Amino acid sequence: MTPFTYARADAPDAAVRLGEGGARFLGGGTNLIDLMRERVEAPGALVDVSGLSQAIEETAEGSLLIGAGVRNTALAEHGLVRTRYPLVTRAIVAGASAQIRNMATVGGNLMQRTRCTYFYDVEGSRCNKRSPGEGCDARGGFNRIHAILGASEACVATHPSDLCVALAALDAVVHVEGAGGARTIPFGNFHLLPGETPDRETALEPGELIKAVELPPLPIAAHSRYRKVRDRASYAFALISVAAALRVEGGKVAEVRLALGGVAHRPWRAHAAEAALVGAPASEASFLAAADAELVGAVPLRDNAFKIELARRTIAAVLSDLSEAGA
Amino acid sequence: MALIVNGIEAPPPADPRVSLLDFLREHLHLTGTKVGCNQGACGACTVIVDGRRVLSCLTLAVQADGASVTTIEGLGTPTALHPLQAAFVEHDGLQCGYCTPGQICSAVAMVEELRRGVPSNVTADVAAQAIAATREELRERMSGNLCRCGAHNGIIAAIEDAFGLETAA
Ligand SMILES: Cc1cc2nc3c(=O)[nH]c(=O)nc-3n(C[C@H](O)[C@H](O)[C@H](O)COP(=O)(O)OP(=O)(O)OC[C@H]3O[C@@H](n4cnc5c(N)ncnc54)[C@H](O)[C@@H]3O)c2cc1C
Ligand code: SF4
Ligand code: FES
Ligand code: FES
């Protein structure tokens, strides 16, 4: 690692000031320290923000406001999250290991970077995300874990988070603070598609701090699931994942939320599938048709065509589960 | 400030680049904690910080300044083994022993998580307050500690025995 300074922030505005000066925020460190050791990242200053905002509070409007410093385990085990938003708990416990979940913060989870192996290989590979304009070795290389939706000529990486797939389905809201003051960002606008600038991954401005993530009240979220398909039963990133909530009335889909992980540069909210589902019979045939409506634009790379069929089947399986469990 | 390592105060390193793992091994000569992958993928470096199991390879020592750190040396000694260490011997919970300190630190804190009702990926009802300590639960909860020697059956048996867990299957 290249040398850096370390300081702990005692208040958000102090952190923002240091961030403005070029310091990087440090949560649990489970992603940033690794990337620094691999020399993908080399910040000259770290400001530890893990001690800020560790509260989970219910607002007067019935939202749940989750401080950016809340550890992933603390979020997963919170009573209101387990009962009102079980897909959030399920998504978290499907990720990483217990040790990593004890360290990782909510803010860091949103900001974690891709696991594309070429992105990590500073010495040997070209990567537009690491060095803009250099080229992308994944596009013609080993790309089994890469994107099938929303990719660009410049970058075919996926966003690795499980939690973020659940947050996308819930229309969470990200509360941030920067030099220009505080603002909120709808979750659907938070992560970006790669386009021409895969080095830009989120809507955050340089130095802007995530203060909290808000889960809006959403009764159907109490009937929700998260399913992750991976190469081993535990402690592996998703090949495909599906977060869903469903309400069926008189045999027809009355309300549905659906998001996919492992398919794109950002957690993928499946709007096309949702639109196809509302009012349709709650049957496997409609679930598969909705999956097809979402995946019609999928573009496979050399090694990842299997993801299209896997996503299709996993979407149908999760929706069938929810519908059978009495949506 | 200082880190409290196994009850003893240690000033943090001057260079913030030093990981908690290197601090324990190279600065404090507590070599029980092992270096495996050094990138979060194996669990060999697991220690307990303020009651929570964490990876010392992905923790900067300065991040743990002010915290209480327990390593394998703080759990038991050769003449006064921790009950889980004794159970590992009894149940052949190891072959080469390299992953063992991490397994034991991990399991000691894992049992607290289980008692607190923290759900896991195999918990059927995440809203349930109490979680049965099935073998499936124990395996999933210990999946962050790899063992190249494949001593997992002995490891799970040792954990059940040491903590008096009644597992169904
Ligand atoms: C072996 C391994 C396996 C894993 N498996 C999974 C998995 O299966 N599923 C999964 O979802 N994740 C997985 N992870 C990733 C893990 O979830 C992330 O590393 C973690 O969530 C990052 O959180 P952190 O607090 O440690 O972030 P850090 O490493 O501290 O920071 C990550 C980034 O976030 C920025 N940041 C931190 N806090 C803020 C803030 N408040 N505002 C703005 N920016 C901020 C940092 O500057 C940095 O760029 C795995 C990680 C490892 C090492
Ligand atoms: S897919 Fe994106 S992250 Fe991976 S090598 Fe290409 S540009 Fe880099
Ligand atoms: S050495 Fe820390 S997880 Fe492998
Ligand atoms: S006993 Fe050899 S790695 Fe586990």
Side-chain angles (χ1 to χ4, degrees):
Chain A
M1 283 190 229
T2 48
F4 57 85
T5 61
Y6 170 90
R8 280 185 197 176
D10 46 17
D13 54 334
V16 169
R17 261 197 312 280
L18 291 167
E20 283 290 302
R24 282 293 292 279
F25 301 131
L26 180 68
T30 59
N31 190 222
L32 187 52
I33 307 262
D34 186 34
L35 290 170
M36 287 165 67
R37 196 170 280 147
E38 298 292 334
R39 293 191 291 121
V40 177
E41 305 232 34
L46 294 181
V47 50
D48 189 336
V49 296
S50 64
L52 303 176
S53 57
Q54 292 189 332
I56 301 179
E57 294 158 336
E58 215 181 338
T59 68
E61 295 75 39
S63 289
L64 216 53
L65 199 62
I66 302 154
V70 169
R71 306 286 173 171
N72 285 194
T73 303
L75 180 57
E77 73 172 306
H78 194 273
L80 291 179
V81 177
R82 287 155 71 162
T83 50
R84 291 185 192 171
Y85 307 99
L87 80 173
V88 170
T89 294
R90 290 232 171 264
I92 293 172
V93 298
S97 68
Q99 289 94 318
I100 293 169
R101 297 191 294 268
N102 281 341
M103 303 165 72
T105 62
V106 169
N109 194 308
L110 265 60
M111 297 299 291
Q112 65 173 298
R113 307 197 69 190
T114 186
R115 309 305 288 203
C116 171
T117 37
Y118 301 97
F119 171 70
Y120 266 79
D121 181 20
V122 174
E123 229 96 286
S125 304
R126 289 171 304 171
C127 169
N128 287 323
K129 188 183 278 301
R130 224 185 325 101
S131 316
E134 189 178 67
C136 166
D137 276 344
R139 191 161 255 294
F142 294 94
N143 45 33
R144 184 168 173 273
I145 64 169
H146 289 77
I148 52 170
L149 288 168
S152 69
E153 205 42 48
C155 177
V156 292
T158 56
H159 194 269
S161 169
D162 290 298
L163 170 62
C164 288
V165 184
L167 298 181
L170 294 173
D171 280 335
V173 177
V174 187
H175 292 245
V176 308
E177 184 172 325
R183 61 176 182 132
T184 56
I185 306 172
F187 202 79
N189 299 344
F190 187 80
H191 294 98
L192 308 177
L193 287 178
E196 298 287 299
T197 51
D199 51 314
R200 275 216 75 194
E201 292 165 355
T202 71
L204 279 192
E205 297 297 334
E208 229 173 0
L209 174 77
I210 301 172
K211 284 174 60 177
V213 173
E214 180 183 349
L215 304 183
L218 184 72
I220 64 160
H223 193 61
S224 62
R225 290 267 198 291
Y226 184 78
R227 188 181 290 184
K228 177 173 177 178
V229 183
R230 44 186 161 175
D231 283 325
R232 57 182 188 195
S234 190
Y235 204 6
F237 285 95
L239 290 168
I240 289 290
S241 70
V242 173
L246 182 71
R247 184 164 60 87
V248 175
E249 258 172 33
K252 292 201 157 67
V253 174
E255 204 182 347
V256 63
R257 293 294 180 93
L258 188 67
L260 310 178
V263 297
H265 197 257
R266 68 175 186 214
W268 191 267
R269 177 69 176 274
H271 288 292
E274 290 180 6
L277 281 166
V278 175
S283 65
E284 193 183 16
S286 344
F287 300 153
L288 285 168
D292 289 338
E294 193 63 49
L295 296 165
V296 64
V299 180
L301 301 163
R302 189 189 73 187
D303 302 331
N304 71 357
F306 75 96
K307 280 193 176 183
I308 301 177
E309 183 60 22
L310 190 59
R312 182 174 181 267
R313 292 191 203 178
T314 312
I315 291 169
V318 170
L319 293 173
S320 297
D321 268 9
L322 280 168
S323 131
E324 277 156 29
Chain B
M1 284 218 284
L3 294 90
I4 320 291
V5 180
N6 300 329
I8 296 165
E9 283 198 14
D15 188 338
R17 288 179 293 180
V18 178
S19 67
L20 179 59
L21 174 58
D22 286 343
F23 182 67
L24 293 169
R25 290 181 53 87
E26 311 293 336
H27 296 221
L28 303 183
H29 307 293
L30 294 169
T31 52
T33 306
K34 296 293 183 261
V35 196
C37 63
N38 215 23
Q39 55 183 22
C42 75
C45 66
T46 303
V47 298
I48 303 171
V49 174
D50 286 342
R52 297 176 305 151
R53 48 179 170 159
V54 301
L55 301 178
S56 60
C57 71
L58 293 184
T59 304
L60 299 174
V62 289
Q63 282 175 289
D65 196 5
S68 173
V69 181
T70 303
T71 69
I72 191 72
E73 290 90 344
L75 286 177
T77 63
T79 49
L81 293 179
H82 183 280
L84 184 57
Q85 288 175 311
F88 263 64
V89 174
E90 173 71 24
H91 293 276
D92 290 329
L94 67 154
Q95 275 187 45
C96 76
Y98 199 80
C99 71
T100 313
Q103 300 278 2
I104 291 178
C105 287
S106 184
V108 166
M110 179 276 290
V111 169
E112 289 308 312
E113 291 167 7
L114 193 58
R115 292 193 175 130
R116 209 163 76 218
V118 179
S120 86
N121 193 43
V122 299
T123 306
D125 177 8
V126 295
Q129 290 303 312
I131 292 159
T134 62
R135 283 209 154 192
E136 198 194 3
E137 281 283 359
L138 297 185
R139 282 183 184 283
E140 165 60 24
R141 287 164 193 273
M142 291 301 293
S143 73
N145 293 84
L146 307 191
C147 173
R148 296 237 28 205
C149 299
H152 299 94
N153 288 334
I155 292 170
I156 299 297
I159 295 170
E160 289 172 343
D161 188 4
F163 296 104
L165 300 172
E166 304 280 328
T167 60

Coordinates of all heavy atoms in Angstrom, one line a residue, chain A residues 73 76-77 82 86 88-98 101 226 230 233-234, chain B residues 53 110 113-114 116-143:
Chain A
T73 N -24.6 -6.9 9.7 CA -25.3 -7.8 10.7 C -26.4 -7.1 11.5 O -27.5 -7.6 11.7 CB -24.2 -8.4 11.7 OG1 -23.2 -9.0 10.9 CG2 -24.9 -9.4 12.6
A76 N -29.4 -6.7 9.4 CA -30.1 -8.0 9.2 C -30.9 -8.5 10.4 O -31.9 -9.1 10.3 CB -29.1 -9.0 8.7
E77 N -30.3 -8.2 11.6 CA -31.0 -8.8 12.8 C -32.0 -7.8 13.4 O -32.7 -8.2 14.4 CB -29.9 -9.2 13.8 CG -29.2 -8.0 14.5 CD -28.3 -8.5 15.7 OE1 -28.8 -9.2 16.6 OE2 -27.1 -8.1 15.7
R82 N -36.6 -7.5 10.0 CA -36.9 -8.9 9.8 C -38.4 -9.1 9.5 O -38.8 -10.1 8.8 CB -36.5 -9.7 11.0 CG -35.0 -9.9 11.1 CD -34.5 -10.1 12.5 NE -34.9 -11.4 13.0 CZ -34.3 -11.9 14.1 NH1 -33.3 -11.3 14.7 NH2 -34.6 -13.1 14.5
P86 N -38.4 -8.5 5.1 CA -37.5 -9.7 5.2 C -36.5 -9.9 4.1 O -35.5 -10.5 4.2 CB -38.5 -10.9 5.3 CG -39.9 -10.3 4.9 CD -39.8 -8.8 5.2
V88 N -34.6 -7.8 2.9 CA -33.4 -7.1 3.2 C -32.5 -8.0 4.1 O -31.3 -8.2 3.8 CB -33.7 -5.8 3.9 CG1 -32.4 -5.2 4.5 CG2 -34.3 -4.8 3.0
T89 N -33.1 -8.6 5.1 CA -32.4 -9.5 6.0 C -31.9 -10.7 5.1 O -30.7 -11.1 5.2 CB -33.3 -10.1 7.1 OG1 -33.6 -9.0 8.0 CG2 -32.6 -11.2 7.9
R90 N -32.7 -11.2 4.3 CA -32.3 -12.4 3.4 C -31.2 -12.0 2.5 O -30.3 -12.8 2.3 CB -33.5 -12.9 2.6 CG -34.5 -13.6 3.4 CD -34.8 -15.0 2.9 NE -35.7 -15.7 3.8 CZ -35.2 -16.6 4.7 NH1 -34.0 -16.8 4.8 NH2 -36.1 -17.2 5.5
A91 N -31.2 -10.8 1.9 CA -30.2 -10.4 1.0 C -28.8 -10.3 1.7 O -27.8 -10.8 1.3 CB -30.5 -9.1 0.3
I92 N -28.9 -9.7 2.9 CA -27.6 -9.5 3.7 C -27.0 -10.9 4.1 O -25.8 -11.1 3.8 CB -27.8 -8.7 4.9 CG1 -28.2 -7.2 4.5 CG2 -26.6 -8.7 5.8 CD1 -28.6 -6.4 5.7
V93 N -27.8 -11.7 4.6 CA -27.3 -13.0 5.1 C -26.9 -13.9 4.0 O -26.2 -14.9 4.2 CB -28.2 -13.7 6.2 CG1 -28.4 -12.9 7.4 CG2 -29.5 -14.2 5.6
A94 N -27.3 -13.6 2.8 CA -26.8 -14.4 1.6 C -25.5 -13.9 1.1 O -24.9 -14.6 0.3 CB -27.8 -14.3 0.5
G95 N -24.9 -12.8 1.7 CA -23.7 -12.3 1.2 C -22.5 -12.5 2.1 O -22.6 -12.6 3.3
A96 N -21.3 -12.6 1.5 CA -20.1 -12.7 2.2 C -20.1 -13.7 3.3 O -20.6 -14.8 3.1 CB -19.7 -11.3 2.7
S97 N -19.4 -13.4 4.4 CA -19.4 -14.4 5.6 C -19.8 -13.6 6.8 O -19.9 -12.3 6.8 CB -17.9 -14.9 5.8 OG -17.1 -13.8 6.2
A98 N -20.1 -14.3 7.9 CA -20.5 -13.6 9.1 C -19.5 -12.6 9.6 O -19.8 -11.4 10.0 CB -20.7 -14.6 10.2
R101 N -19.8 -9.5 7.3 CA -21.0 -8.8 7.6 C -21.0 -8.0 8.9 O -21.6 -7.0 9.1 CB -22.2 -9.8 7.6 CG -22.5 -10.5 6.3 CD -23.8 -11.2 6.3 NE -23.9 -12.3 7.2 CZ -23.6 -13.6 6.9 NH1 -23.2 -13.9 5.7 NH2 -23.7 -14.6 7.8
Y226 N -35.6 -13.3 -1.2 CA -34.4 -13.0 -1.9 C -33.8 -14.4 -2.2 O -33.6 -15.2 -1.3 CB -33.4 -12.2 -1.1 CG -32.1 -11.8 -1.9 CD1 -32.2 -10.8 -2.8 CD2 -30.9 -12.5 -1.7 CE1 -31.0 -10.4 -3.5 CE2 -29.8 -12.1 -2.4 CZ -29.8 -11.1 -3.3 OH -28.7 -10.8 -4.0
R230 N -25.3 -19.2 -6.9 CA -23.9 -19.1 -6.9 C -23.2 -20.4 -7.1 O -23.8 -21.4 -7.1 CB -23.5 -18.4 -5.6 CG -24.1 -18.9 -4.3 CD -23.8 -18.1 -3.1 NE -24.7 -18.4 -2.0 CZ -24.6 -17.9 -0.8 NH1 -23.6 -17.1 -0.5 NH2 -25.5 -18.1 0.1
A233 N -22.4 -23.2 -2.0 CA -23.6 -22.9 -1.2 C -23.5 -21.7 -0.3 O -24.5 -21.2 0.1 CB -23.9 -24.2 -0.3
S234 N -22.3 -21.3 0.0 CA -22.2 -20.1 0.9 C -20.9 -19.4 0.6 O -20.0 -20.0 -0.1 CB -22.1 -20.7 2.3 OG -22.2 -19.6 3.3
Chain B
R53 N -16.9 -11.3 15.8 CA -15.8 -11.9 15.1 C -15.6 -11.1 13.8 O -16.6 -10.7 13.1 CB -16.2 -13.3 14.7 CG -17.6 -13.6 14.2 CD -17.8 -15.1 13.8 NE -19.2 -15.3 13.5 CZ -19.6 -16.3 12.8 NH1 -18.8 -17.2 12.4 NH2 -20.9 -16.5 12.6
M110 N -19.6 -16.9 17.2 CA -20.8 -17.4 16.5 C -21.8 -17.8 17.4 O -23.0 -17.6 17.2 CB -20.3 -18.6 15.5 CG -21.4 -19.2 14.7 SD -22.4 -20.5 15.6 CE -21.2 -21.8 15.7
E113 N -23.8 -15.0 18.5 CA -24.8 -14.6 17.5 C -26.0 -15.4 17.5 O -27.1 -15.0 17.3 CB -24.1 -14.6 16.1 CG -23.0 -13.5 15.9 CD -22.1 -13.8 14.7 OE1 -22.5 -14.7 13.9 OE2 -21.1 -13.1 14.5
L114 N -25.8 -16.7 17.6 CA -26.9 -17.7 17.6 C -27.8 -17.5 18.8 O -29.0 -17.4 18.6 CB -26.3 -19.1 17.6 CG -27.2 -20.3 17.3 CD1 -27.8 -20.2 15.9 CD2 -26.3 -21.6 17.4
R116 N -28.2 -14.7 20.3 CA -28.9 -13.4 20.2 C -30.0 -13.5 19.1 O -30.8 -12.6 19.0 CB -27.8 -12.5 19.7 CG -28.0 -11.0 20.1 CD -26.7 -10.2 19.9 NE -26.5 -9.9 18.5 CZ -25.3 -9.9 17.9 NH1 -24.2 -10.3 18.6 NH2 -25.1 -9.6 16.7
G117 N -30.0 -14.6 18.4 CA -31.1 -14.8 17.4 C -30.8 -14.1 16.0 O -31.7 -13.8 15.3
V118 N -29.5 -13.9 15.7 CA -29.2 -13.4 14.4 C -29.5 -14.4 13.3 O -29.0 -15.5 13.4 CB -27.6 -13.0 14.3 CG1 -27.3 -12.5 12.9 CG2 -27.2 -12.1 15.4
P119 N -30.3 -14.1 12.3 CA -30.7 -15.1 11.3 C -29.5 -15.4 10.4 O -28.6 -14.6 10.3 CB -31.8 -14.4 10.5 CG -32.1 -13.1 11.1 CD -31.0 -12.7 12.1
S120 N -29.6 -16.5 9.7 CA -28.5 -16.9 8.8 C -29.2 -17.2 7.4 O -30.5 -17.2 7.4 CB -27.7 -18.1 9.2 OG -28.4 -19.3 8.8
N121 N -28.4 -17.5 6.5 CA -28.9 -17.8 5.1 C -29.8 -19.1 5.1 O -30.6 -19.3 4.2 CB -27.8 -17.9 4.1 CG -28.3 -17.9 2.7 OD1 -29.1 -17.1 2.3 ND2 -27.8 -18.8 1.9
V122 N -29.7 -19.9 6.1 CA -30.5 -21.2 6.1 C -31.6 -21.1 7.1 O -32.3 -22.1 7.3 CB -29.6 -22.5 6.3 CG1 -28.6 -22.6 5.2 CG2 -29.0 -22.4 7.7
T123 N -31.8 -20.0 7.8 CA -32.9 -19.8 8.7 C -34.2 -19.8 8.0 O -34.4 -18.9 7.1 CB -32.7 -18.6 9.6 OG1 -31.4 -18.6 10.2 CG2 -33.8 -18.4 10.7
A124 N -35.2 -20.7 8.3 CA -36.4 -20.8 7.5 C -37.2 -19.5 7.7 O -37.7 -18.9 6.7 CB -37.2 -22.0 7.9
D125 N -37.4 -19.1 8.9 CA -38.2 -17.9 9.2 C -37.4 -16.8 9.8 O -37.0 -16.9 11.0 CB -39.4 -18.3 10.2 CG -40.2 -17.1 10.6 OD1 -40.1 -16.0 10.0 OD2 -41.1 -17.3 11.5
V126 N -37.0 -15.8 9.0 CA -36.1 -14.8 9.6 C -36.8 -13.9 10.6 O -36.1 -13.2 11.3 CB -35.5 -13.9 8.5 CG1 -34.6 -14.7 7.5 CG2 -36.5 -13.1 7.7
A127 N -38.1 -14.0 10.7 CA -38.8 -13.2 11.7 C -38.8 -13.9 13.1 O -39.0 -13.2 14.1 CB -40.2 -12.9 11.3
A128 N -38.4 -15.1 13.1 CA -38.5 -15.9 14.4 C -37.4 -15.3 15.3 O -36.3 -15.0 14.9 CB -38.2 -17.4 14.1
Q129 N -37.7 -15.3 16.6 CA -36.8 -14.7 17.6 C -35.7 -15.7 18.0 O -34.6 -15.4 18.2 CB -37.5 -14.2 18.8 CG -38.4 -12.9 18.5 CD -37.5 -11.8 18.0 OE1 -36.5 -11.5 18.5 NE2 -38.0 -11.2 16.9
A130 N -36.1 -17.0 18.1 CA -35.2 -18.0 18.5 C -34.8 -18.9 17.4 O -35.7 -19.3 16.6 CB -35.8 -18.8 19.7
I131 N -33.6 -19.3 17.3 CA -33.1 -20.1 16.1 C -32.5 -21.4 16.6 O -31.7 -21.4 17.5 CB -32.1 -19.3 15.3 CG1 -32.9 -18.1 14.6 CG2 -31.5 -20.2 14.2 CD1 -32.0 -17.0 14.1
A132 N -33.0 -22.5 16.1 CA -32.5 -23.8 16.6 C -31.1 -24.0 16.0 O -30.8 -23.7 14.9 CB -33.5 -24.9 16.1
A133 N -30.3 -24.6 16.9 CA -28.9 -24.8 16.5 C -28.7 -26.1 15.7 O -28.1 -27.1 16.1 CB -28.0 -24.8 17.7
T134 N -29.4 -26.2 14.5 CA -29.2 -27.4 13.7 C -27.8 -27.4 13.1 O -27.1 -26.4 13.1 CB -30.2 -27.4 12.5 OG1 -29.9 -26.3 11.7 CG2 -31.7 -27.3 13.0
R135 N -27.4 -28.6 12.6 CA -26.1 -28.8 12.0 C -26.0 -27.9 10.8 O -25.0 -27.3 10.5 CB -25.9 -30.2 11.5 CG -25.6 -31.1 12.7 CD -24.7 -32.3 12.2 NE -24.0 -32.7 13.4 CZ -23.0 -33.5 13.4 NH1 -22.6 -34.0 12.2 NH2 -22.3 -33.8 14.5
E136 N -27.2 -27.8 10.1 CA -27.2 -26.9 8.9 C -26.9 -25.5 9.2 O -26.1 -24.8 8.6 CB -28.6 -27.1 8.2 CG -28.6 -26.6 6.8 CD -30.0 -26.4 6.3 OE1 -31.0 -26.6 7.1 OE2 -30.2 -26.1 5.1
E137 N -27.5 -25.0 10.3 CA -27.2 -23.7 10.8 C -25.7 -23.5 11.2 O -25.1 -22.5 10.8 CB -28.1 -23.3 12.1 CG -29.5 -23.0 11.8 CD -29.7 -21.5 11.2 OE1 -28.7 -20.8 11.1 OE2 -30.8 -21.2 10.9
L138 N -25.2 -24.5 11.9 CA -23.8 -24.3 12.3 C -22.9 -24.3 11.1 O -21.9 -23.5 11.1 CB -23.4 -25.5 13.3 CG -24.2 -25.5 14.6 CD1 -23.6 -26.7 15.5 CD2 -24.1 -24.2 15.4
R139 N -23.1 -25.2 10.1 CA -22.3 -25.2 8.9 C -22.3 -23.9 8.2 O -21.3 -23.3 7.8 CB -22.7 -26.3 8.0 CG -22.3 -27.7 8.4 CD -22.7 -28.7 7.4 NE -22.4 -30.0 7.9 CZ -21.1 -30.5 7.9 NH1 -20.2 -29.8 7.3 NH2 -20.9 -31.7 8.4
E140 N -23.5 -23.4 8.0 CA -23.7 -22.1 7.3 C -23.0 -21.0 8.1 O -22.2 -20.2 7.5 CB -25.2 -21.7 7.1 CG -25.5 -20.3 6.7 CD -24.8 -19.8 5.4 OE1 -24.5 -20.7 4.6 OE2 -24.7 -18.6 5.3
R141 N -23.1 -21.0 9.4 CA -22.6 -19.9 10.2 C -21.0 -20.0 10.3 O -20.4 -19.0 10.5 CB -23.2 -19.9 11.6 CG -24.6 -19.4 11.6 CD -25.3 -19.8 12.9 NE -26.8 -19.5 12.7 CZ -27.4 -18.4 12.9 NH1 -26.7 -17.3 13.4 NH2 -28.6 -18.2 12.7
M142 N -20.5 -21.2 10.0 CA -19.0 -21.3 10.0 C -18.5 -21.3 8.6 O -17.3 -21.6 8.4 CB -18.7 -22.7 10.7 CG -18.9 -22.7 12.2 SD -18.0 -21.4 13.1 CE -16.3 -21.9 12.9
S143 N -19.3 -21.0 7.6 CA -18.8 -21.0 6.2 C -17.7 -20.0 5.9 O -17.0 -20.1 4.9 CB -20.0 -20.9 5.2 OG -20.4 -19.6 5.2

